[in-house]
Amino acid sequence: MERSDPPEVRPRSAAPAGGGIRSLFFHEDDYAMLELMPAKRRGNVEAEMERIQAFAEQHRTEGGYTDLYVRESDPKELAGLGIPLANVERAVSSFARPYDKVTTGYGSTYEAECPGIKAFGPDEETVLLCEHEDGTLRKAWMLLNIGNRERYDLSLKLLRTLAGIAPLMLADLAWGVSVELSDEAAVRQYLDEYLNDEEDA
């Protein structure tokens, strides 16, 4: 799997000490960049990632990009699997605890609460975010910062657990890579490359 330059890693708010409210902030640019989708959509997703990469190459400049690409996304495609949010929480919460509050925004100038998003993670570097409606998973994505072997193992455990819930794939829009969660060899290869990139940074 070939990758371009790694995405920027942004600082996130620290978890509170003691027994206070557990809050998670995610930068709006990270929304659904590591998205979980039905595995049957893999061909469509890979074709869309190729279009995104071609567009980026066409519009890249030294100072950024000359235009924005609005990617195709069907908000009902994950909801169509009918995965109850309660099933996800039961499966992951023993090692990826739920956050009490989720907010998003950019920098220090804007932050808004996300009541329709539930997040689970051992820390803010390995997180599953679940957008839900009427108790059903509508959209899901991850935050991964695999800087060491411990985080690698937590990420693998989380992805392995999600593979047992439904036939899912992980689409990494930043890298233009997709892996089916049921293919553990491919998942390990993906995480190996992610870890190597973090260690080389």
Side-chain angles (χ1 to χ4, degrees):
M1 294 180 285
E2 293 186 0
R3 295 177 169 175
S4 56
D5 293 335
E8 176 187 0
V9 177
R10 302 179 184 83
R12 300 186 175 95
S13 56
I21 292 176
R22 197 167 185 245
S23 299
L24 175 79
F25 171 83
F26 71 92
H27 195 285
E28 64 175 10
D29 287 350
D30 292 329
Y31 178 80
M33 289 301 289
L34 286 175
E35 189 170 1
L36 292 159
M37 299 181 184
K40 65 183 180 181
R41 291 271 299 148
R42 188 175 184 185
N44 303 78
V45 171
E46 289 184 340
E48 177 70 355
M49 289 194 293
E50 288 178 5
R51 289 190 288 270
I52 291 170
Q53 288 183 331
F55 183 91
E57 288 299 322
Q58 182 180 356
H59 293 277
R60 182 179 285 119
T61 67
E62 288 185 6
Y65 295 89
T66 61
D67 202 355
L68 295 175
Y69 184 94
V70 180
R71 65 183 167 98
E72 294 180 8
S73 178
D74 182 355
K76 297 179 181 178
E77 59 188 10
L78 187 60
L81 294 179
I83 303 170
L85 178 64
N87 287 9
V88 176
E89 183 162 6
R90 261 194 309 273
V92 306
S93 61
S94 65
F95 64 93
R97 294 185 297 126
Y99 283 87
D100 303 302
K101 179 181 176 183
V102 178
T103 60
T104 190
Y106 42 85
S108 59
T109 58
Y110 175 73
E111 186 171 343
E113 193 166 349
C114 306
I117 297 175
K118 189 74 175 176
F120 307 90
D123 54 39
E124 295 183 337
E125 309 298 336
T126 309
V127 183
L128 168 67
L129 295 107
C130 299
E131 193 172 303
H132 56 94
E133 186 174 3
D134 298 326
T136 300
L137 203 57
R138 182 178 178 272
K139 199 175 192 74
W141 68 100
M142 303 185 74
L143 303 176
L144 295 179
N145 182 17
I146 308 171
N148 56 45
R149 182 55 57 176
E150 181 182 1
R151 291 208 182 107
Y152 175 102
D153 291 339
L154 285 168
S155 299
L156 179 61
K157 185 175 183 178
L158 184 53
L159 291 171
R160 184 185 285 152
T161 301
L162 293 170
I165 294 174
L168 297 170
M169 59 170 283
L170 181 67
D172 187 329
L173 275 297
W175 296 122
V177 172
S178 69
V179 289
E180 293 189 26
L181 301 192
S182 61
D183 186 347
E184 184 159 328
V187 171
R188 285 180 177 274
Q189 181 183 356
Y190 169 76
L191 295 178
D192 284 342
E193 294 188 11
Y194 214 125
L195 177 62
N196 292 338
D197 281 327
E198 292 287 345
E199 289 178 336
D200 292 342

